[in-house]
Amino acid sequence: MRVRLQGIVLTLVALLVFGLGIPLAISIAAGAQQDLFLDRLTDTARFASLAQRPLLDNKPYLIEPDVRRYTEVYGVQVVVVDQDGKPVVTALGPAAARIDLQDERISDPVDEALAGRRSQPAGVLMPWDSTPLVLAEPVLADGEVRGAVLTVSATDSERAAVLWWWLLLAAGGILAFVVALAVAIPVVRWILKPVKRLDDATGALVASVVSGREAEPVGEGGGPPELRQLGRSFDRMAESVSGALAAQRAFVADASHQLRNPLTALKIRLGNLDGHVDDEPAAADLEAARVDAGRLHQILDGLLSMARAEASGGELDPVVLDEVVAERVADWSVVGEARDVRLVVDTAGDGARVRVPPRGAETILDALLDNALKFTASGTEIRIAVERDGDRVRLSVRDHGPGLPPEELDRALDRFWRSPAHQNVPGSGLGLAIVSELTAHSDGELTLDLPEGGGLRIAMTFPAA
């Protein structure tokens, strides 16, 4: 946006410079041409007046001294022709060899003058046009044309003067561009400073929504009053959004925590009823109530873990991923052996470190291994891999269960979502959602894919610490 605003300013300056400079340059050239034309026209008309009597008396040599003296002083070539167009007096300047009366640039003005017409102004004097100024005035006696006076003037000095004026205008235009650029840069920065702060604050607000970190206010700062007011409005909005999200997370955490105590008491009471219910239908209802209470307890644990994951903003702790994987696999291997499922670890052993929230790596692995063990059939394996690629570290967990249909991969990270094919498998549907939250807090990326051979592979890529 800064480039566009500066481009607009410079474009306006360019339009102003060209809009004023080009007409001014043309006006200077036209003025120089007009001055030269009037000066030479006056001299040519004077010689036409002086030539009247010498041509009538057939004594053109009487005017020759004046013509030669004029040529010596001003360097202007002068030719006097009779009514037949033949030169009778010629005075050539030092820079000219002779005048070719057959040249159209010479013959046309002479013919016009012999026809009784006076010279007309020529076009604009351009620095690159070396064409001399040719004027011809008729010599009249008693209303009859007796001959003509031709003057040929070089335009070198006038063209040089015009060129210097144009160079001065060009230098002024360049100076205007430099001044406009010097003024535009701080002005554009002053205008866009609140916009830059708003952009940074928007990104911080989005990050705070994901990570739970508090976004810094935009503040007053500098800039136009309208943008400062927009910044204050944004701060109020961000404060409201952050407050609402914090209240929501606090409610989920508090509700989950507060409901666990009565739920635990309910489970104890239901357990105390064992052996005291003799009626078979009542015993079946008691068992169903105990199952539902256990499921509700699992859901509350998941909600509490989700609330902790959402509120896990702040500083990230560096951990050695290989060590965490080895520790968690050692604990879950007991469950795997009970289900005849092998946990295979494939790591480079290079001590790759990543930055995650406190206990975040353990929570991620527990959720993924618990999820994989639920769906992996007996006699198969779960493969946990840690790979390093430059400044990125990739952790993946691949099972050999039924997997998911391709169209359901995008929904697998939704909270409480469970595939219709897995409704009979215990769980709350929050495991992958918790993993997704913790991965986002760690500035990582989470992907799900269906590898060859069946099953599901969940991979997370973190920046290396």
Side-chain angles (χ1 to χ4, degrees), residues 305-370:
S305 298
M306 174 62 71
R308 290 171 179 170
E310 289 179 340
S312 60
E315 294 295 328
L316 302 177
D317 295 336
V319 298
V320 180
L321 201 54
D322 293 344
E323 296 178 358
V324 177
V325 169
E327 176 188 341
R328 300 317 303 152
V329 168
D331 291 343
W332 283 94
S333 295
V334 178
V335 181
E337 291 175 359
R339 301 182 181 181
D340 193 19
V341 176
R342 293 186 302 115
L343 274 64
V344 180
V345 178
D346 183 11
T347 66
D350 57 355
R353 298 163 65 90
V354 297
R355 300 180 67 87
V356 294
R359 301 293 300 174
E362 292 84 351
T363 304
I364 289 174
L365 284 168
D366 287 344
L368 293 180
L369 293 175
D370 178 58

Side-chain angles (χ1 to χ4, degrees), residues 5-299:
L5 283 179
Q6 291 177 354
I8 292 173
V9 173
L10 294 181
T11 300
L12 292 177
V13 173
L15 292 176
L16 180 63
V17 169
F18 284 109
L20 297 178
I22 292 178
L24 182 58
I26 295 175
S27 175
I28 291 174
Q33 174 73 21
Q34 185 70 13
D35 292 341
L36 180 62
F37 173 79
L38 292 176
D39 182 70
R40 296 296 182 266
L41 181 63
T42 301
D43 294 341
T44 306
R46 184 174 66 85
F47 281 119
S49 177
L50 294 175
Q52 290 180 358
R53 180 53 57 187
L55 290 180
L56 283 175
D57 296 340
N58 197 22
K59 297 178 180 180
Y61 58 85
L62 295 176
I63 197 177
E64 187 171 350
D66 294 333
V67 171
R68 291 189 180 277
R69 180 60 181 168
Y70 177 79
T71 300
E72 290 174 359
V73 174
Y74 296 104
V76 178
Q77 304 172 81
V78 182
V79 178
V80 180
V81 299
D82 59 16
Q83 58 186 358
D84 295 328
K86 296 179 179 180
V88 293
V89 176
T90 302
L92 302 180
R98 58 178 298 163
I99 295 179
D100 184 7
L101 294 178
Q102 303 301 320
D103 190 344
E104 291 184 356
R105 296 179 298 177
I106 304 298
S107 60
D108 288 349
V110 171
D111 293 340
E112 293 285 334
L114 293 176
R117 289 187 288 270
R118 307 194 66 179
S119 298
Q120 299 297 322
V124 177
L125 183 64
M126 295 299 179
W128 55 84
D129 187 5
S130 60
T131 303
L133 176 63
V134 180
L135 298 179
E137 285 292 306
V139 179
L140 301 175
D142 298 329
E144 183 180 354
V145 178
R146 295 294 182 175
V149 176
L150 174 71
T151 59
V152 180
S153 305
T155 58
D156 296 344
S157 60
E158 288 76 11
R159 288 187 291 109
V162 171
L163 180 59
W164 278 110
W165 275 107
W166 284 18
L167 291 176
L168 184 60
L169 286 176
I174 294 174
L175 180 61
F177 271 110
V178 172
V179 172
L181 185 62
V183 173
I185 290 177
V187 170
V188 169
R189 287 179 177 174
W190 176 73
I191 293 174
L192 294 183
K193 188 176 181 181
V195 178
K196 178 66 168 57
R197 291 200 308 272
L198 280 173
D199 182 59
D200 295 340
T202 302
L205 180 61
V206 173
S208 69
V209 171
V210 175
S211 64
R213 303 169 190 169
E214 184 177 354
E216 296 183 0
V218 177
E220 287 290 334
E226 296 81 2
L227 292 180
R228 293 202 302 269
Q229 178 60 36
L230 179 60
R232 290 191 291 269
S233 300
F234 180 87
D235 285 341
R236 291 194 294 269
M237 181 202 69
E239 185 178 357
S240 299
V241 171
S242 300
L245 290 174
Q248 177 186 356
R249 289 167 179 158
F251 171 77
V252 172
D254 293 342
S256 302
H257 186 270
Q258 294 298 325
L259 287 175
R260 290 182 66 182
N261 292 333
L263 182 60
T264 301
L266 178 61
K267 290 178 65 177
I268 294 174
R269 291 178 182 275
L270 291 175
N272 292 335
L273 292 176
D274 285 342
H276 299 283
V277 178
D278 298 330
D279 183 65
E280 185 174 346
D285 291 339
L286 176 61
E287 182 61 26
R290 293 179 62 184
V291 172
D292 290 340
R295 183 180 178 186
L296 182 58
H297 195 279
Q298 189 177 22
I299 291 175

Side-chain angles (χ1 to χ4, degrees), residues 392 439-440 442-447 459-463:
R392 309 289 289 181
T439 303
S442 307
D443 298 327
E445 299 177 0
L446 187 147
T447 58
M460 293 136 291
T461 305
F462 304 96

Side-chain angles (χ1 to χ4, degrees), residues 376-391:
T376 299
S378 300
T380 58
E381 67 179 20
I382 297 173
R383 184 169 294 273
I384 303 97
V386 178
E387 303 169 322
R388 181 161 186 166
D389 183 12
D391 59 350

